[in-house]
Amino acid sequence: MSEQSPIIQMQNIQKHFGSVIALAGVSVDIFPGECHCLLGDNGAGKSTFIKTMSGVHKPTHGEILFEGQPMYFADPRDAISAGIATVHQHLAMIPLMSVSRNFFMGNEPQKSLGPLKLFDHDYANRVTMEEMRKMGINLRGPDQAVGTLSGGERQTVAIARAVHFGAKVLILDEPTSALGVRQTANVLATIDKVRKQGIAVVFITHNVRHALAVGDRFTVLNRGKTLGTAKRGEITPEELQDLMAGGQELVKLESSLGGTV
Amino acid sequence: MSDIAQTSPATDERVKDISPLRKALIRPELGGIVGTIAVFTFFLLFAFDSGMFNAQGVINWSVVSAQFVIIAVGACLLMIAGEFDLSVGSMIGFAGMLIAIFGVTLGWPIWLAIIITFVICVAIGGLSGWIVIRTGLPSFIVTLAFLFILRGFTIFLPQIIERKTIIGGIKDAAEGDWLASAFGGKVFGGLFQWMGDAGLIATFTRGTRAGQPVVDGVPMLIIWALVLMALAHILLTKTKFGNWIFASGGDAEAARNSGVPVNKVKILMFMLTAFCATVFAVCQVMEFGSAGADRGLLKEFEAIIAVVIGGALLTGGYGSVIGAALGALIFGVVQQGLFFAGVESSLFRVFLGVILLGAVILNTYIRRIITGER
């Protein structure tokens, strides 16, 4: 992957909220077709970092290069139209609406009927069923409500939606944190499929095992700073866990807990 | 739909088949359909001979139902978009009073009075929506404030201008006005004359109108109700904007994340509700020939009840215009039917309370099925 040029370069990003320094100079390169895991404990600055990447926050210092060009996103819609899609842990799907209506929410296909522009339900239903089948989800029908899907399936619908609408970079904000074992496996399998299509995946998690299952490269954030990026195979789960916890305390704790953390 | 069947993968053993009956039950209109059948069965059995189902009787309860439909359509789309409007009743009184003041007191042509009234009322609807969006306050509170503000002006303005609370003389002022006839006129007169001549419906046998049918046309009110209902139904189910309405009410934050202009959608729905209230007011003023300070009392609650009977969820994101119209039909038929059946009219309120409770319980059950809770 290293011979490719990065699709996003975050260079020395700093973000201050008043007197609080949330990010103190973080540099990360994201390549197409890789799954870049962003790890860190609560409060490490993961959320601030991806919100900067997706246009929600503007960096106080530092530069974002998108496909080699400096980018200044005024708001999240700029980032979305550039091809940076964020799938939020919650707040992605509307349970009472059908899968097909959710899939095309904000991007409704239209057909003309005389002077009227109507929602093209046939097209929407067909595409939804196709995309869901590609992701390995069997729907009862495109009019099935999202509320009947499991948490993992909802994440998958959201990911499929982002991919269908041309995302080049997919930011997944803790997609597995509230899921069971089987559902997590499904989401990780989805991430793998998406990566193979040449899309850059930024996978935020604080679960080292989930990260190691699919990640190509790993960046650990701690207290607003990056502790470096490691490639797959260069780092062990224990080292990652230690980096996330910020060093030595966990080692002691781990020995007292019998290595279960 | 055949192409969908082809693209469907092999069935998943974990996806339980649902019976067609259960699938038919999972629709917002269920309560409205069941209620409509029940209500008509009841009155056909107990009030068939009372004149409720002859031409005059049908027009009678149709007009009352159409009034409910007009305000229920606005309330329905607004509720699906996740908001309430408690100022509908006051808006009806206020709009009627504005027409009377412009058209009678100031002597403007009625068409101008009607247009200016529409502009003012829709703007007020937009204002209350804007306040709801900007402050983040519940629409319940904001529109409750407008309920009192508008009602206060409706009583105050005629008192200070004309020293009375009812302004009459609108019939004379509206005589021959092109726009007034679009609200207060009747259509299909020829058809009814023909039906009277053919003996299909009763005709007057004495007096100056001897030979004319007892029903001389379909009031424009009913046409407005049908047109508004059809347009709102198409808007909600068949357009991109309809998807935005569902999304805004289902989860405003998720909708925003997907690029739906939630604020715009909600404010437009407040304006639509005000528009519907104004249509109601204009039709009423043209029918009565006067505007009164107490017009439209409690209409906001009746609109909301009709919408809830029609299967919409009070929490937004789910509902149906057809259901709301059926809810309004149930209302109109029961209100007038009790009169035809000779039942004490105060029992209508008992009925309202009971059916509201039943509808809300049914809706909660249906929602649990949809979201897979059981």
Side-chain angles (χ1 to χ4, degrees):
Chain A
M1 301 267 166
S2 54
E3 64 274 18
Q4 272 181 301
S5 55
I7 184 160
I8 294 185
Q9 291 168 279
M10 305 286 282
Q11 292 180 338
N12 196 25
I13 300 294
Q14 293 190 30
K15 180 67 191 174
H16 304 173
F17 294 107
S19 60
V20 179
I21 300 170
L23 294 173
V26 178
S27 299
V28 172
D29 292 349
I30 315 279
F31 293 90
E34 76 164 356
C35 176
H36 195 118
C37 295
L38 201 56
L39 294 120
D41 210 351
N42 294 340
K46 301 188 301 279
S47 295
T48 311
F49 187 68
I50 58 152
K51 280 181 178 167
T52 310
M53 196 187 289
S54 62
V56 177
H57 296 319
K58 287 178 198 63
T60 313
H61 294 291
E63 225 179 11
I64 306 173
L65 300 181
F66 183 76
E67 293 177 328
Q69 304 294 320
M71 286 293 275
Y72 303 97
F73 298 128
D75 58 38
R77 297 195 108 192
D78 278 5
I80 291 170
S81 48
I84 302 177
T86 310
V87 173
H88 298 269
Q89 181 186 351
H90 305 292
L91 307 176
M93 292 279 136
I94 296 180
L96 283 167
M97 282 164 63
S98 72
V99 177
S100 140
R101 276 181 178 273
N102 262 293
F103 196 91
F104 286 93
M105 179 168 63
N107 289 297
E108 292 81 359
Q110 300 199 84
K111 61 178 176 193
S112 293
L113 189 79
L116 292 174
K117 280 220 187 306
L118 299 182
F119 188 142
D120 193 346
H121 281 292
D122 291 343
Y123 173 83
N125 290 343
R126 199 170 57 239
V127 170
T128 305
M129 289 305 276
E130 268 171 34
E131 294 289 335
M132 290 300 100
R133 196 196 43 195
K134 277 189 212 161
M135 291 293 179
I137 292 185
N138 293 310
L139 289 181
R140 201 180 292 142
D143 55 350
Q144 187 180 348
V146 160
T148 60
L149 300 178
S150 69
E153 288 171 328
R154 288 187 211 191
Q155 290 288 345
T156 304
V157 175
I159 292 169
R161 176 172 69 183
V163 172
H164 179 79
F165 288 106
K168 294 173 185 165
V169 179
L170 189 61
I171 301 172
L172 305 175
D173 187 5
E174 308 214 359
T176 56
S177 66
L179 301 182
V181 179
R182 282 283 295 278
Q183 296 183 17
T184 301
N186 288 341
V187 171
L188 296 179
T190 307
I191 291 174
D192 189 47
K193 281 178 195 152
V194 171
R195 172 179 58 183
K196 282 179 180 146
Q197 294 179 31
I199 294 166
V201 179
V202 180
F203 176 25
I204 291 96
T205 181
H206 52 236
N207 187 316
V208 171
R209 288 174 54 217
H210 296 172
L212 283 167
V214 291
D216 294 308
R217 297 197 305 148
F218 308 90
T219 298
V220 179
L221 283 181
N222 191 313
R223 300 179 69 82
K225 285 184 183 142
T226 168
L227 299 171
T229 298
K231 275 189 190 155
R232 183 178 195 82
E234 287 176 354
I235 193 162
T236 65
E238 290 73 23
E239 284 169 333
L240 268 181
Q241 190 92 55
D242 277 354
L243 282 171
M244 275 173 66
Q248 310 309 316
E249 301 91 341
L250 204 65
V251 179
K252 286 182 205 153
L253 187 62
E254 195 170 0
S255 59
S256 70
L257 290 173
T260 51
V261 180
Chain B
M1 290 293 152
S2 59
D3 45 347
I4 287 160
Q6 286 159 14
T7 57
S8 293
T11 49
D12 186 332
E13 77 285 357
R14 290 170 307 163
V15 179
K16 265 203 290 188
D17 279 338
I18 52 171
S19 70
L21 176 70
R22 197 172 156 92
K23 197 164 181 178
L25 288 181
I26 310 177
R27 49 187 309 132
E29 297 93 349
L30 174 69
I33 293 169
V34 171
T36 307
I37 294 171
V39 161
F40 273 98
T41 311
F42 178 84
F43 284 109
L44 280 168
L45 288 177
F46 294 102
F48 187 72
D49 299 329
S50 62
M52 186 178 168
F53 293 98
N54 65 24
Q56 234 174 333
V58 170
I59 287 288
N60 178 301
W61 53 256
S62 297
V63 166
V64 175
S65 301
Q67 290 180 338
F68 287 126
V69 169
I70 288 172
I71 49 174
V73 163
C76 177
L77 291 194
L78 183 64
M79 197 186 288
I80 294 172
E83 304 292 341
F84 278 111
D85 190 348
L86 293 184
S87 66
V88 168
S90 298
M91 185 66 89
I92 290 170
F94 183 71
M97 195 54 75
L98 284 186
I99 292 171
I101 289 171
F102 293 147
V104 177
T105 308
L106 299 179
W108 295 357
I110 289 295
W111 62 267
L112 185 65
I114 292 173
I115 290 172
I116 300 285
T117 301
F118 267 105
V119 170
I120 292 174
C121 291
V122 170
I124 292 172
L127 175 67
S128 56
W130 183 78
I131 294 173
V132 168
I133 298 294
R134 286 309 295 257
T135 60
L137 290 169
S139 50
F140 178 84
I141 294 298
V142 174
T143 57
L144 185 63
F146 274 92
L147 181 153
F148 285 105
I149 294 168
L150 292 176
R151 182 63 68 191
F153 275 122
T154 310
I155 300 169
F156 171 77
L157 290 177
Q159 277 187 331
I160 193 141
I161 296 170
E162 295 245 352
R163 304 216 157 271
K164 54 189 177 186
T165 53
I166 295 179
I167 299 180
I170 295 173
K171 273 229 167 80
D172 299 333
E175 193 63 46
D177 189 273
W178 60 275
L179 192 56
S181 61
F183 292 92
K186 291 184 178 178
V187 290
F188 306 128
L191 177 68
F192 282 86
Q193 184 67 51
W194 175 81
M195 287 202 290
D197 295 341
L200 291 172
I201 56 174
T203 51
F204 290 108
T205 51
R206 284 176 292 176
T208 50
R209 295 177 64 192
Q212 291 181 11
V214 288
V215 177
D216 57 357
V218 177
M220 281 305 292
L221 184 75
I222 293 176
I223 307 295
W224 271 100
L226 292 175
V227 169
L228 280 174
M229 182 182 83
L231 289 181
H233 178 70
I234 292 170
L235 179 73
L236 185 65
T237 58
K238 306 266 187 259
T239 70
K240 168 172 150 173
F241 194 82
N243 210 35
W244 293 357
I245 297 176
F246 280 120
S248 301
D251 187 333
E253 206 49 46
R256 279 197 193 96
N257 283 342
S258 301
V260 174
V262 174
N263 295 352
K264 193 173 117 186
V265 170
K266 289 194 172 187
I267 292 175
L268 279 171
M269 288 305 103
F270 274 103
M271 293 166 80
L272 175 74
T273 309
F275 176 84
C276 290
T278 312
V279 170
F280 182 105
V282 179
C283 288
Q284 195 184 44
V285 163
M286 292 308 152
E287 188 192 344
F288 291 174
S290 66
D294 62 343
R295 295 276 162 75
L297 272 180
L298 291 180
K299 285 292 172 208
E300 55 281 334
F301 292 109
E302 293 172 354
I304 288 171
I305 294 172
V307 173
V308 170
I309 293 172
L313 293 177
L314 288 159
T315 42
Y318 188 72
S320 144
V321 174
I322 302 295
L326 288 174
L329 179 65
I330 292 173
F331 248 59
V333 170
V334 171
Q335 187 178 336
Q336 297 310 102
L338 291 178
F339 168 75
F340 277 105
V343 179
E344 170 61 33
S345 65
S346 50
L347 284 178
F348 177 61
R349 291 165 195 238
V350 177
F351 160 81
L352 270 194
V354 171
I355 199 168
L356 174 64
L357 206 52
V360 174
I361 292 170
L362 180 69
N363 288 352
T364 312
Y365 175 71
I366 291 175
R367 177 178 51 184
R368 286 198 185 133
I369 296 177
I370 298 166
T371 55
E373 285 170 48
R374 65 161 92 141

